[in-house]
Amino acid sequence: MLLDIHLEQCDDKGEKLERLADIGMPFNISLVPVLMLPEHEVFKNGVYKPDYFYNKNIMTLLNAIPKDYPHVSFGQQGFTHYCPECYNTWDAKKNKFKQDPWHENRCLYNKKKSVVDQFEFMNEGKKIIEDFVGVSPIIYSPPNHQYDQNTKFSALQLNYEYLATKGVINISPYKEEGLKILPERKLGQSGEIFYTHYNEIGGNLDAYTDI
């Protein structure tokens, strides 16, 4: 079995990541590249809270992991992990979005994104991870599990080994058009690949170390 941690909201300074790494068993950390860029406009225009980026301790740990914990691999979640068109559907009266904006590769409400568009932001995000962490991500996790054929084609061109998708039913990993597809399940479900958002681990770390 494998655990894939989607590192988004960080509710500590990396203590949970370090404890998992110290166990010595393989797991994956899927990063949002823009969260490595505290000066990026997404923290200034309200998309994310001004302090939502990875804190200094997390960044130091991520940089040290390839050398200190070679059994830990890295994945990538898009580039910014949001859709500008859907983000602009905020309904002030109802205090919520009319459309879920937390996808990037595939939007259910707007024009399909071309291979060129997807390749460009995926490649930009990949380079950021390589620059800050020093290794290439091997898993591509489409934000909000939304992807299409153009996503898969771009992932192949960018040499990702795996594409992670939401496992609605319990099926084993499989190959599709040159990619190894990882159907990810949530804790408590049956499966081989499990994912969690970092802030969801909370005080339940032992359950995830069992994976």
Side-chain angles (χ1 to χ4, degrees):
M1 294 193 293
L2 179 72
L3 175 64
D4 181 15
I5 297 175
H6 290 210
L7 192 63
E8 295 170 33
Q9 182 177 339
C10 298
D11 55 352
D12 68 6
K13 296 180 179 180
E15 291 90 347
K16 291 191 290 291
L17 274 183
E18 194 162 13
R19 182 175 163 187
L20 283 167
D22 282 337
I23 294 172
M25 298 297 289
F27 70 95
N28 185 74
I29 306 170
S30 286
L31 305 172
V32 180
V34 79
L35 300 187
M36 297 179 161
L37 306 174
E39 298 302 318
H40 196 276
E41 62 179 7
V42 295
F43 304 110
K44 301 173 183 178
N45 61 14
V47 174
Y48 296 116
K49 295 179 181 178
D51 61 349
Y52 195 75
F53 51 83
Y54 298 146
N55 60 59
K56 184 177 180 180
N57 297 78
I58 291 280
M59 287 295 293
T60 299
L61 177 60
L62 293 176
N63 183 258
I65 281 176
K67 176 173 64 73
D68 297 341
Y69 304 102
H71 55 280
V72 179
S73 59
F74 285 92
Q76 174 186 340
Q77 301 182 69
F79 172 48
T80 62
H81 204 302
Y82 91 107
C83 172
E85 292 86 357
C86 292
Y87 187 83
N88 289 327
T89 66
W90 178 258
D91 188 328
K93 291 183 178 179
K94 294 184 178 180
N95 198 35
K96 66 178 184 179
F97 291 105
K98 296 177 182 177
Q99 297 161 186
D100 186 345
W102 308 118
H103 49 266
E104 193 169 9
N105 288 95
R106 177 177 179 242
C107 180
L108 299 175
Y109 315 98
N110 297 288
K111 182 181 177 181
K112 182 177 181 178
K113 294 184 179 178
S114 69
V115 169
V116 173
D117 289 339
Q118 295 196 44
F119 181 94
E120 286 182 350
F121 73 74
M122 290 167 66
N123 187 43
E124 185 175 3
K126 185 181 182 185
K127 288 180 178 178
I128 290 168
I129 292 174
E130 291 170 341
D131 287 344
F132 280 89
V133 182
V135 296
S136 296
I138 61 172
I139 297 177
Y140 188 74
S141 297
N144 216 0
H145 307 282
Q146 298 289 347
Y147 66 96
D148 57 21
Q149 289 297 114
N150 289 343
T151 311
K152 289 188 285 186
F153 183 82
S154 298
L156 281 169
Q157 296 301 307
L158 289 166
N159 297 315
Y160 299 96
E161 295 182 47
Y162 307 91
L163 186 139
T165 184
K166 190 172 185 178
V168 180
I169 58 174
N170 180 19
I171 57 175
S172 297
Y174 59 93
K175 280 190 175 182
E176 185 177 282
E177 299 175 12
L179 281 172
K180 298 170 186 175
I181 310 297
L182 305 178
E184 296 187 328
R185 305 278 280 170
K186 296 292 285 184
L187 185 68
Q189 297 178 321
S190 298
E192 298 177 43
I193 315 295
F194 296 87
Y195 81 98
T196 182
H197 295 96
Y198 189 62
N199 63 303
E200 293 176 343
I201 295 175
N204 202 24
L205 186 61
D206 288 342
Y208 290 98
T209 60
D210 287 344
I211 296 175

